[in-house]
Amino acid sequence: MPWDQIKTRRFPAFDKDLDGISRQTMEDHYKLYEGYVKKTNECRKILDEFDYSEVEGNQVYSQLRAVSVDYTFALLGYKNHDLYFGHLGGDGGEPHGRFAELVDSEFHGGVEEWSASIRKAASAARGWVMVGYDLNDGSLFNYIMDTQNLWAVYNMVPVLALDVYEHAYVRDYGATPDGRKQYVEAFFRNLDWNHVNRQLAQAEAAKEGADRSGAREPAHAS
Ligand SMILES: [Fe+2]
């Protein structure tokens, strides 16, 4: 298992003036990200140092259980923000490239309807909306996540991460539903669709690799 310490990264978005997301919001947000990295490493260290022949395994409460569960909160706090900060600092605009092509081909109403759908998802989520590419069937789905470790599914590769926790917008827009909507529009004005498309290209390449496993639908008896 890879028990190396993870490290924070600095992103190009921090060297720019974003349209509608203040530098102070970004800097404060970065401190949270640093906290997730610190706690991820702390959890890993504890999990690495357990004597597993002695440590208690208890489903009501045990240190093993607590650290294992909270590790996923810390690690996904790191991963989600890595994508979030990574794809800010762009020119926004309409989805284009492969992402738009895929959405147009599979989502009823195409890109226009999808654009409405993710805005509604952003109002319905308590923490994140994650647009994920499914390695099993190649579909894209807007996952509504109340925290960073709920409720994404296996074999989903995130390609777009929209943070809707209040810390992402309260300073700039206030903690109201309308404030959140204004922030979501600002997010899309600063989104780098090329970054989204790079994520998607990696995911499609991974699916192609997985498809070579040889598993296929059974032949139907005639
Ligand atoms: Fe956040």
Side-chain angles (χ1 to χ4, degrees):
M1 276 194 267
W3 292 107
D4 294 341
Q5 295 236 319
I6 58 166
K7 295 184 177 70
T8 54
R9 301 195 302 161
R10 197 69 182 173
F11 304 88
F14 288 85
D15 301 324
K16 296 177 179 174
D17 285 319
L18 301 183
D19 176 8
I21 303 175
S22 66
R23 277 183 182 254
Q24 194 59 54
T25 290
M26 289 292 282
E27 290 300 334
D28 290 350
H29 208 162
Y30 194 82
K31 289 189 185 100
L32 277 176
Y33 165 77
E34 288 177 313
Y36 289 130
V37 169
K38 185 169 168 276
K39 285 294 171 187
T40 297
N41 290 330
E42 207 174 303
C43 290
R44 282 188 178 188
K45 187 166 184 296
I46 294 167
L47 289 164
D48 194 32
E49 289 175 355
F50 275 145
D51 178 345
Y52 285 94
S53 61
E54 296 295 328
V55 74
E56 184 191 15
N58 186 293
Q59 63 172 337
V60 179
Y61 168 77
S62 56
Q63 199 190 2
L64 173 62
R65 181 189 152 78
V67 179
S68 298
V69 170
D70 289 336
Y71 172 66
T72 68
F73 189 82
L75 182 62
L76 288 173
Y78 161 73
K79 290 190 181 197
N80 292 8
H81 286 98
D82 215 59
L83 178 53
Y84 175 78
F85 292 140
H87 62 22
L88 282 178
D91 297 328
E94 292 299 309
H96 59 75
R98 180 64 181 144
F99 184 89
E101 199 177 289
L102 211 52
V103 165
D104 250 339
S105 68
E106 72 172 22
F107 203 90
H108 77 99
V111 167
E112 200 180 331
E113 186 73 7
W114 175 83
S115 295
S117 80
I118 191 162
R119 283 163 173 78
K120 282 289 159 66
S123 295
R126 295 173 188 160
W128 289 86
V129 181
M130 192 69 72
V131 184
Y133 176 85
D134 193 302
L135 293 179
N136 294 116
D137 64 10
S139 62
L140 284 169
F141 187 77
N142 302 330
Y143 293 89
I144 288 173
M145 300 169 74
D146 280 355
T147 68
Q148 53 254 35
N149 53 351
L150 294 172
W151 293 283
V153 304
Y154 299 111
N155 285 353
M156 177 276 279
V157 179
V159 299
L160 191 160
L162 172 49
D163 191 345
V164 293
Y165 272 117
E166 287 175 1
H167 63 243
Y169 61 90
V170 71
R171 176 186 289 276
D172 299 328
Y173 297 103
T176 63
D178 188 56
R180 184 188 288 200
K181 280 182 190 155
Q182 289 180 55
Y183 153 73
V184 168
E185 293 311 317
F187 170 84
F188 282 110
R189 286 199 301 277
N190 294 283
L191 184 60
D192 181 356
W193 283 106
N194 293 327
H195 194 293
V196 174
N197 278 314
R198 281 195 295 275
Q199 294 286 124
L200 184 55
Q202 283 183 11
E204 288 199 298
K207 180 177 185 302
E208 205 182 307
D211 287 347
R212 283 196 215 111
S213 70
R216 60 191 188 283
E217 288 184 15
H220 295 290
S222 55

